[in-house]
Amino acid sequence: MERIGAVLIDIDGVLTVDWQPLPGAVAAMERLRAAGLPLALVTNTTSRTRAEMAAKLAGAGFPVGEDDILTAPAVTAAYLREHCPGARCALLNSGDVREDLAGVTLVDAADEGPPVDVVVLGGAGEAFGYEALNAVFRHLQGGARLIAMHRNLYWRTAQGLDLDTGAFLPGLERAARVEAVVTGKPAEAFYATALAHLGAGASGTLMVGDDIETDVLAAQRFGITGVLVRTGKYLPETHRSASGTPDHVLDSFADLPALLGE
């Protein structure tokens, strides 16, 4: 592990659950900081802005700031500004992340004004009711493009696993006969953005996550060393049936400094 010079870290399920620190996570982060390792927190979380996440994490004791956090909404905004400039974008998301979608023209999914050019799906939650999903479906039937911040099937909460966007997205794609462009993890562009943010190369970077497919194996396909932790959404059956094998498996993020020899 001596060649590792930068670390990418998922937040939900790795550092926290429901924004409460997992045992040993704060101390492990402090050890990485003390070792001088460049790091970035990379997350598909769409319920809070980068500033809100930074405040929550700092309040829990993590030595991180807003500039350390790269989110699916921020990467989605960059994609839309480059590929769909000036487009009217209908956003369906549980949580207000408009602050991280600067430069994007947003309209409500139920807006009956001029035609919608792009449908943007964020994270699932109470906003993903029948009326909202049906409005999105009609926009897609009318020719709108479909952009999804991620395909996560579920995430871990204090009450257990909750359904996420990936539980709804395939139905929309099939019904509307479209294929979504995914901008967050596991998209290669997301990992490329994260590496550029750190000024790091893939071969010298490590990714830590609780989602074996989206976090770990996707990073490994990009040449990044993948570390799966047995916290958050981790399930033994998902691990066994995965499409590949993680480079490393740890009980929790608290074990990462030892793996790195820090």
Side-chain angles (χ1 to χ4, degrees), residues 1-4 205-209 212 216-217 220 224-230 234 239 245-251 255-256 259-260:
M1 301 300 291
E2 292 180 359
R3 66 184 177 84
I4 297 300
T205 302
L206 180 146
M207 170 70 203
V208 188
I212 189 169
V216 180
L217 299 182
Q220 289 179 192
I224 298 169
T225 299
V227 177
L228 177 67
V229 291
R230 297 189 183 97
Y234 174 86
H239 187 175
T245 303
D247 291 315
H248 303 277
V249 181
L250 301 176
D251 285 336
D255 299 321
L256 183 64
L259 176 67
L260 293 172

mmCIF file of all heavy atoms in Angstrom, residues 1-4 205-209 212 216-217 220 224-230 234 239 245-251 255-256 259-260:
data_model
loop_
_atom_site.group_PDB
_atom_site.id
_atom_site.type_symbol
_atom_site.label_atom_id
_atom_site.label_comp_id
_atom_site.label_asym_id
_atom_site.label_seq_id
_atom_site.Cartn_x
_atom_site.Cartn_y
_atom_site.Cartn_z
ATOM 1 N N MET A 1 0.815 -1.212 0.000
ATOM 2 C CA MET A 1 0.000 0.000 0.000
ATOM 3 C C MET A 1 0.851 1.265 0.000
ATOM 4 O O MET A 1 0.323 2.364 0.088
ATOM 5 C CB MET A 1 -0.918 0.007 1.227
ATOM 6 C CG MET A 1 -1.859 -1.188 1.304
ATOM 7 S SD MET A 1 -2.970 -1.280 -0.119
ATOM 8 C CE MET A 1 -4.001 0.146 0.182
ATOM 9 N N GLU A 2 2.177 1.130 -0.114
ATOM 10 C CA GLU A 2 3.038 2.303 -0.068
ATOM 11 C C GLU A 2 2.806 3.239 -1.248
ATOM 12 O O GLU A 2 3.091 4.434 -1.155
ATOM 13 C CB GLU A 2 4.503 1.873 -0.029
ATOM 14 C CG GLU A 2 4.893 1.171 1.269
ATOM 15 C CD GLU A 2 6.342 0.756 1.260
ATOM 16 O OE1 GLU A 2 7.015 0.995 0.238
ATOM 17 O OE2 GLU A 2 6.789 0.176 2.256
ATOM 18 N N ARG A 3 2.293 2.711 -2.355
ATOM 19 C CA ARG A 3 2.093 3.551 -3.538
ATOM 20 C C ARG A 3 0.855 4.435 -3.438
ATOM 21 O O ARG A 3 0.654 5.313 -4.263
ATOM 22 C CB ARG A 3 1.978 2.676 -4.788
ATOM 23 C CG ARG A 3 0.736 1.788 -4.797
ATOM 24 C CD ARG A 3 0.718 0.885 -6.010
ATOM 25 N NE ARG A 3 -0.423 -0.015 -6.007
ATOM 26 C CZ ARG A 3 -1.622 0.300 -6.441
ATOM 27 N NH1 ARG A 3 -1.863 1.510 -6.893
ATOM 28 N NH2 ARG A 3 -2.611 -0.574 -6.409
ATOM 29 N N ILE A 4 -0.015 4.228 -2.439
ATOM 30 C CA ILE A 4 -1.234 5.012 -2.302
ATOM 31 C C ILE A 4 -0.899 6.418 -1.815
ATOM 32 O O ILE A 4 -0.307 6.593 -0.752
ATOM 33 C CB ILE A 4 -2.229 4.337 -1.335
ATOM 34 C CG1 ILE A 4 -2.672 2.983 -1.892
ATOM 35 C CG2 ILE A 4 -3.433 5.240 -1.111
ATOM 36 C CD1 ILE A 4 -3.369 3.043 -3.236
ATOM 37 N N THR A 205 -4.375 5.946 -6.099
ATOM 38 C CA THR A 205 -5.540 6.380 -5.312
ATOM 39 C C THR A 205 -6.335 5.177 -4.832
ATOM 40 O O THR A 205 -6.420 4.151 -5.507
ATOM 41 C CB THR A 205 -6.435 7.307 -6.149
ATOM 42 O OG1 THR A 205 -5.670 8.438 -6.576
ATOM 43 C CG2 THR A 205 -7.641 7.795 -5.359
ATOM 44 N N LEU A 206 -6.932 5.323 -3.674
ATOM 45 C CA LEU A 206 -7.747 4.273 -3.063
ATOM 46 C C LEU A 206 -9.154 4.807 -2.831
ATOM 47 O O LEU A 206 -9.324 5.962 -2.450
ATOM 48 C CB LEU A 206 -7.098 3.856 -1.740
ATOM 49 C CG LEU A 206 -7.745 2.774 -0.875
ATOM 50 C CD1 LEU A 206 -6.647 1.980 -0.174
ATOM 51 C CD2 LEU A 206 -8.649 3.416 0.181
ATOM 52 N N MET A 207 -10.163 3.980 -3.084
ATOM 53 C CA MET A 207 -11.564 4.349 -2.875
ATOM 54 C C MET A 207 -12.170 3.456 -1.803
ATOM 55 O O MET A 207 -12.071 2.224 -1.872
ATOM 56 C CB MET A 207 -12.354 4.187 -4.183
ATOM 57 C CG MET A 207 -13.869 4.322 -4.039
ATOM 58 S SD MET A 207 -14.410 5.996 -3.667
ATOM 59 C CE MET A 207 -16.013 5.690 -2.897
ATOM 60 N N VAL A 208 -12.814 4.065 -0.800
ATOM 61 C CA VAL A 208 -13.449 3.319 0.285
ATOM 62 C C VAL A 208 -14.961 3.505 0.198
ATOM 63 O O VAL A 208 -15.458 4.635 0.198
ATOM 64 C CB VAL A 208 -12.971 3.825 1.666
ATOM 65 C CG1 VAL A 208 -13.493 2.906 2.760
ATOM 66 C CG2 VAL A 208 -11.464 3.922 1.721
ATOM 67 N N GLY A 209 -15.711 2.396 0.150
ATOM 68 C CA GLY A 209 -17.164 2.496 0.064
ATOM 69 C C GLY A 209 -17.867 1.302 0.649
ATOM 70 O O GLY A 209 -17.256 0.258 0.890
ATOM 71 N N ILE A 212 -20.585 -2.288 -3.009
ATOM 72 C CA ILE A 212 -19.548 -3.027 -3.720
ATOM 73 C C ILE A 212 -19.521 -2.712 -5.205
ATOM 74 O O ILE A 212 -18.449 -2.612 -5.812
ATOM 75 C CB ILE A 212 -19.684 -4.553 -3.476
ATOM 76 C CG1 ILE A 212 -18.470 -5.292 -4.041
ATOM 77 C CG2 ILE A 212 -20.987 -5.099 -4.030
ATOM 78 C CD1 ILE A 212 -18.387 -6.748 -3.626
ATOM 79 N N VAL A 216 -16.933 0.459 -5.127
ATOM 80 C CA VAL A 216 -15.674 -0.278 -5.126
ATOM 81 C C VAL A 216 -15.300 -0.830 -6.501
ATOM 82 O O VAL A 216 -14.241 -0.501 -7.046
ATOM 83 C CB VAL A 216 -15.730 -1.416 -4.080
ATOM 84 C CG1 VAL A 216 -14.420 -2.193 -4.068
ATOM 85 C CG2 VAL A 216 -16.031 -0.852 -2.700
ATOM 86 N N LEU A 217 -16.152 -1.661 -7.073
ATOM 87 C CA LEU A 217 -15.807 -2.275 -8.356
ATOM 88 C C LEU A 217 -15.761 -1.247 -9.473
ATOM 89 O O LEU A 217 -14.932 -1.358 -10.396
ATOM 90 C CB LEU A 217 -16.800 -3.394 -8.685
ATOM 91 C CG LEU A 217 -16.836 -4.548 -7.669
ATOM 92 C CD1 LEU A 217 -17.816 -5.624 -8.133
ATOM 93 C CD2 LEU A 217 -15.442 -5.142 -7.469
ATOM 94 N N GLN A 220 -12.439 0.327 -9.230
ATOM 95 C CA GLN A 220 -11.395 -0.597 -9.683
ATOM 96 C C GLN A 220 -11.336 -0.653 -11.208
ATOM 97 O O GLN A 220 -10.247 -0.753 -11.789
ATOM 98 C CB GLN A 220 -11.634 -1.991 -9.094
ATOM 99 C CG GLN A 220 -11.365 -2.056 -7.600
ATOM 100 C CD GLN A 220 -11.612 -3.423 -6.993
ATOM 101 O OE1 GLN A 220 -11.654 -3.550 -5.772
ATOM 102 N NE2 GLN A 220 -11.773 -4.461 -7.794
ATOM 103 N N ILE A 224 -8.481 2.453 -9.914
ATOM 104 C CA ILE A 224 -8.340 2.861 -8.520
ATOM 105 C C ILE A 224 -8.411 1.621 -7.637
ATOM 106 O O ILE A 224 -9.182 0.699 -7.904
ATOM 107 C CB ILE A 224 -9.464 3.854 -8.144
ATOM 108 C CG1 ILE A 224 -9.351 5.117 -8.999
ATOM 109 C CG2 ILE A 224 -9.437 4.210 -6.666
ATOM 110 C CD1 ILE A 224 -10.552 6.039 -8.896
ATOM 111 N N THR A 225 -7.627 1.578 -6.568
ATOM 112 C CA THR A 225 -7.696 0.473 -5.613
ATOM 113 C C THR A 225 -9.001 0.568 -4.831
ATOM 114 O O THR A 225 -9.348 1.627 -4.299
ATOM 115 C CB THR A 225 -6.506 0.528 -4.634
ATOM 116 O OG1 THR A 225 -5.286 0.396 -5.379
ATOM 117 C CG2 THR A 225 -6.592 -0.586 -3.601
ATOM 118 N N GLY A 226 -9.749 -0.529 -4.757
ATOM 119 C CA GLY A 226 -11.059 -0.526 -4.116
ATOM 120 C C GLY A 226 -11.057 -1.198 -2.756
ATOM 121 O O GLY A 226 -10.517 -2.290 -2.593
ATOM 122 N N VAL A 227 -11.677 -0.534 -1.774
ATOM 123 C CA VAL A 227 -11.796 -1.069 -0.419
ATOM 124 C C VAL A 227 -13.270 -1.087 -0.022
ATOM 125 O O VAL A 227 -13.926 -0.040 0.020
ATOM 126 C CB VAL A 227 -10.998 -0.228 0.598
ATOM 127 C CG1 VAL A 227 -11.201 -0.774 2.010
ATOM 128 C CG2 VAL A 227 -9.518 -0.209 0.239
ATOM 129 N N LEU A 228 -13.786 -2.258 0.260
ATOM 130 C CA LEU A 228 -15.165 -2.421 0.717
ATOM 131 C C LEU A 228 -15.201 -2.501 2.230
ATOM 132 O O LEU A 228 -14.408 -3.226 2.837
ATOM 133 C CB LEU A 228 -15.764 -3.701 0.123
ATOM 134 C CG LEU A 228 -17.192 -4.065 0.546
ATOM 135 C CD1 LEU A 228 -18.194 -3.050 0.000
ATOM 136 C CD2 LEU A 228 -17.543 -5.481 0.061
ATOM 137 N N VAL A 229 -16.118 -1.745 2.854
ATOM 138 C CA VAL A 229 -16.287 -1.824 4.308
ATOM 139 C C VAL A 229 -17.606 -2.523 4.626
ATOM 140 O O VAL A 229 -18.593 -2.375 3.911
ATOM 141 C CB VAL A 229 -16.240 -0.428 4.973
ATOM 142 C CG1 VAL A 229 -14.849 0.153 4.886
ATOM 143 C CG2 VAL A 229 -17.260 0.521 4.348
ATOM 144 N N ARG A 230 -17.604 -3.273 5.725
ATOM 145 C CA ARG A 230 -18.786 -4.040 6.123
ATOM 146 C C ARG A 230 -19.688 -3.207 7.040
ATOM 147 O O ARG A 230 -20.107 -3.658 8.108
ATOM 148 C CB ARG A 230 -18.368 -5.324 6.834
ATOM 149 C CG ARG A 230 -17.579 -6.302 5.978
ATOM 150 C CD ARG A 230 -17.415 -7.634 6.698
ATOM 151 N NE ARG A 230 -16.608 -8.588 5.971
ATOM 152 C CZ ARG A 230 -15.311 -8.806 6.167
ATOM 153 N NH1 ARG A 230 -14.666 -8.085 7.104
ATOM 154 N NH2 ARG A 230 -14.643 -9.704 5.471
ATOM 155 N N TYR A 234 -23.801 -2.507 3.381
ATOM 156 C CA TYR A 234 -23.145 -3.787 3.110
ATOM 157 C C TYR A 234 -24.053 -4.955 3.508
ATOM 158 O O TYR A 234 -24.628 -4.982 4.593
ATOM 159 C CB TYR A 234 -21.835 -3.902 3.893
ATOM 160 C CG TYR A 234 -21.190 -5.269 3.764
ATOM 161 C CD1 TYR A 234 -20.344 -5.554 2.706
ATOM 162 C CD2 TYR A 234 -21.462 -6.281 4.690
ATOM 163 C CE1 TYR A 234 -19.757 -6.809 2.573
ATOM 164 C CE2 TYR A 234 -20.880 -7.536 4.565
ATOM 165 C CZ TYR A 234 -20.037 -7.796 3.505
ATOM 166 O OH TYR A 234 -19.476 -9.046 3.365
ATOM 167 N N HIS A 239 -22.321 -9.064 -1.432
ATOM 168 C CA HIS A 239 -20.885 -9.275 -1.586
ATOM 169 C C HIS A 239 -20.626 -10.569 -2.365
ATOM 170 O O HIS A 239 -19.831 -10.584 -3.320
ATOM 171 C CB HIS A 239 -20.244 -9.330 -0.193
ATOM 172 C CG HIS A 239 -18.750 -9.366 -0.206
ATOM 173 N ND1 HIS A 239 -18.004 -9.312 0.946
ATOM 174 C CD2 HIS A 239 -17.842 -9.471 -1.222
ATOM 175 C CE1 HIS A 239 -16.728 -9.367 0.647
ATOM 176 N NE2 HIS A 239 -16.602 -9.472 -0.655
ATOM 177 N N THR A 245 -14.390 -8.801 -7.426
ATOM 178 C CA THR A 245 -13.838 -8.960 -6.082
ATOM 179 C C THR A 245 -13.122 -7.686 -5.650
ATOM 180 O O THR A 245 -12.248 -7.196 -6.373
ATOM 181 C CB THR A 245 -12.838 -10.124 -6.045
ATOM 182 O OG1 THR A 245 -13.498 -11.322 -6.487
ATOM 183 C CG2 THR A 245 -12.302 -10.339 -4.639
ATOM 184 N N PRO A 246 -13.468 -7.137 -4.486
ATOM 185 C CA PRO A 246 -12.753 -5.945 -4.004
ATOM 186 C C PRO A 246 -11.274 -6.234 -3.792
ATOM 187 O O PRO A 246 -10.887 -7.366 -3.481
ATOM 188 C CB PRO A 246 -13.448 -5.635 -2.675
ATOM 189 C CG PRO A 246 -14.770 -6.334 -2.738
ATOM 190 C CD PRO A 246 -14.537 -7.557 -3.560
ATOM 191 N N ASP A 247 -10.453 -5.200 -3.931
ATOM 192 C CA ASP A 247 -9.035 -5.368 -3.635
ATOM 193 C C ASP A 247 -8.818 -5.649 -2.155
ATOM 194 O O ASP A 247 -7.937 -6.428 -1.782
ATOM 195 C CB ASP A 247 -8.270 -4.096 -4.028
ATOM 196 C CG ASP A 247 -8.230 -3.891 -5.533
ATOM 197 O OD1 ASP A 247 -7.960 -4.862 -6.252
ATOM 198 O OD2 ASP A 247 -8.473 -2.757 -5.980
ATOM 199 N N HIS A 248 -9.640 -5.001 -1.303
ATOM 200 C CA HIS A 248 -9.540 -5.191 0.140
ATOM 201 C C HIS A 248 -10.934 -5.111 0.745
ATOM 202 O O HIS A 248 -11.803 -4.402 0.232
ATOM 203 C CB HIS A 248 -8.650 -4.113 0.789
ATOM 204 C CG HIS A 248 -7.268 -4.048 0.227
ATOM 205 N ND1 HIS A 248 -6.252 -4.881 0.646
ATOM 206 C CD2 HIS A 248 -6.744 -3.255 -0.741
ATOM 207 C CE1 HIS A 248 -5.143 -4.601 -0.032
ATOM 208 N NE2 HIS A 248 -5.418 -3.621 -0.877
ATOM 209 N N VAL A 249 -11.140 -5.834 1.830
ATOM 210 C CA VAL A 249 -12.391 -5.771 2.586
ATOM 211 C C VAL A 249 -12.041 -5.513 4.047
ATOM 212 O O VAL A 249 -11.227 -6.234 4.635
ATOM 213 C CB VAL A 249 -13.205 -7.085 2.464
ATOM 214 C CG1 VAL A 249 -14.509 -6.971 3.248
ATOM 215 C CG2 VAL A 249 -13.492 -7.408 1.002
ATOM 216 N N LEU A 250 -12.663 -4.484 4.630
ATOM 217 C CA LEU A 250 -12.422 -4.118 6.026
ATOM 218 C C LEU A 250 -13.727 -4.151 6.804
ATOM 219 O O LEU A 250 -14.802 -3.960 6.236
ATOM 220 C CB LEU A 250 -11.826 -2.704 6.115
ATOM 221 C CG LEU A 250 -10.507 -2.445 5.389
ATOM 222 C CD1 LEU A 250 -10.131 -0.967 5.515
ATOM 223 C CD2 LEU A 250 -9.401 -3.324 5.927
ATOM 224 N N ASP A 251 -13.614 -4.372 8.102
ATOM 225 C CA ASP A 251 -14.813 -4.331 8.934
ATOM 226 C C ASP A 251 -15.410 -2.928 8.975
ATOM 227 O O ASP A 251 -16.631 -2.775 9.011
ATOM 228 C CB ASP A 251 -14.494 -4.795 10.364
ATOM 229 C CG ASP A 251 -14.318 -6.300 10.448
ATOM 230 O OD1 ASP A 251 -14.868 -7.007 9.583
ATOM 231 O OD2 ASP A 251 -13.627 -6.766 11.371
ATOM 232 N N ASP A 255 -10.562 0.819 10.300
ATOM 233 C CA ASP A 255 -9.428 -0.053 10.018
ATOM 234 C C ASP A 255 -8.544 0.452 8.875
ATOM 235 O O ASP A 255 -7.504 -0.150 8.598
ATOM 236 C CB ASP A 255 -9.922 -1.460 9.661
ATOM 237 C CG ASP A 255 -10.707 -2.103 10.798
ATOM 238 O OD1 ASP A 255 -10.303 -1.905 11.942
ATOM 239 O OD2 ASP A 255 -11.709 -2.782 10.503
ATOM 240 N N LEU A 256 -8.958 1.547 8.217
ATOM 241 C CA LEU A 256 -8.209 2.001 7.044
ATOM 242 C C LEU A 256 -6.792 2.476 7.374
ATOM 243 O O LEU A 256 -5.850 2.127 6.637
ATOM 244 C CB LEU A 256 -8.969 3.114 6.318
ATOM 245 C CG LEU A 256 -8.320 3.621 5.037
ATOM 246 C CD1 LEU A 256 -8.252 2.511 3.987
ATOM 247 C CD2 LEU A 256 -9.060 4.831 4.485
ATOM 248 N N LEU A 259 -4.465 -0.397 7.362
ATOM 249 C CA LEU A 259 -4.247 -0.935 6.018
ATOM 250 C C LEU A 259 -3.216 -0.100 5.257
ATOM 251 O O LEU A 259 -2.362 -0.631 4.552
ATOM 252 C CB LEU A 259 -5.557 -0.967 5.241
ATOM 253 C CG LEU A 259 -5.466 -1.410 3.773
ATOM 254 C CD1 LEU A 259 -5.076 -2.881 3.676
ATOM 255 C CD2 LEU A 259 -6.798 -1.166 3.053
ATOM 256 N N LEU A 260 -3.280 1.208 5.439
ATOM 257 C CA LEU A 260 -2.375 2.109 4.763
ATOM 258 C C LEU A 260 -1.013 2.218 5.447
ATOM 259 O O LEU A 260 -0.102 2.850 4.932
ATOM 260 C CB LEU A 260 -3.002 3.520 4.671
ATOM 261 C CG LEU A 260 -4.238 3.633 3.779
ATOM 262 C CD1 LEU A 260 -4.871 4.998 3.929
ATOM 263 C CD2 LEU A 260 -3.864 3.379 2.320
#
